[in-house]
Amino acid sequence: MSARQSLFGVELDPLTMDETVQRCLEAVRDGRQLEIGVVNAAKLVTMRRDQRLAQAVAGCDLVLADGQAVVWAGRLLGAPLPERVAGIDLFLRLLAEAESAGVSVYFLGARQEVLERMLRRVADRFPRLKVAGSRNGYFDDSQQEAIAGAVARSGARMLFLGMTSPKKEIFTAAYGARTGARVVHGVGGSFDILAGVTRRAPASWQRWGLEWLYRALQEPRRLGRRYLTTNAAFVLMTAREFIRLTPPPASANRSH
């Protein structure tokens, strides 16, 4: 088992996509619960000021690098991670595995109409997938326990949360165990992408770590400033950490 890497005080699992999928299937087979947390540049910046989010991520069984910038920062700062494990890619891999293994799933998140569109598209793409249940992501904190109970009664072995941070991390930390799901994976805006509401960046943009820019160009008024601010903060955070870790040059010996 690979030792965790520490990046900005956050413990990350240096796993490839294949290794992550394997861990998830083992958890389902062995009846253990695996809560998955993913971090990108924006989330690492937010975790510095949001203690609840930081604690919720730290409590996950697996914490993965969802952003290319996180992989690059890990390399630069001596905490190498083998590759980016994007939340949406892991989501699709797990749906395919669940379909072929007969493992039931539950979808929790997004607006009702987005959820319904996604369910239709998932049914087309994974026709033999067992969907134990679904619910939109619009509920208040007082309903969390009842929703976790509904997931448990459905018998779903994998739970996918299409909710934003920190809502999904806080739900997972408080009620993940109560759901009875073996794999709990917060997939953020992936429901919107699967529903065709938002477009995903082409592979070339992803390789260059520009997925954020592609998203910002789709919704400049809502996302433009936010992404620029968090990305600048992440670059600054990385630079500070690099300076902190770089030993000062040995002073030249002036004696003759």
Side-chain angles (χ1 to χ4, degrees), residues 83-124:
E83 65 183 19
R84 176 190 184 205
V85 181
I88 184 163
D89 294 332
L90 178 58
F91 179 29
L92 291 169
R93 281 284 301 271
L94 291 176
L95 289 178
E97 295 287 350
E99 181 188 36
S100 61
V103 172
S104 58
V105 304
Y106 196 105
F107 299 106
L108 175 59
R111 299 193 313 275
Q112 187 62 33
E113 62 272 24
V114 172
L115 179 64
E116 286 167 10
R117 278 178 70 173
M118 186 202 73
L119 288 169
R120 287 195 294 272
R121 289 189 169 208
V122 164
D124 289 342

Side-chain angles (χ1 to χ4, degrees), residues 66 68 84 86 88-89 92 189-190 192-194 197-218 223 227:
D66 180 29
Q68 190 57 47
R84 176 190 184 205
I88 184 163
D89 294 332
L92 291 169
S190 299
D192 291 55
I193 293 171
L194 255 64
V197 174
T198 52
R199 291 191 310 279
R200 193 175 181 201
S204 56
W205 290 57
Q206 292 175 46
R207 275 196 302 278
W208 287 101
L210 293 172
E211 214 160 356
W212 64 273
L213 180 59
Y214 192 85
R215 285 282 292 112
L217 290 170
Q218 286 184 70
L223 298 174
Y227 278 140

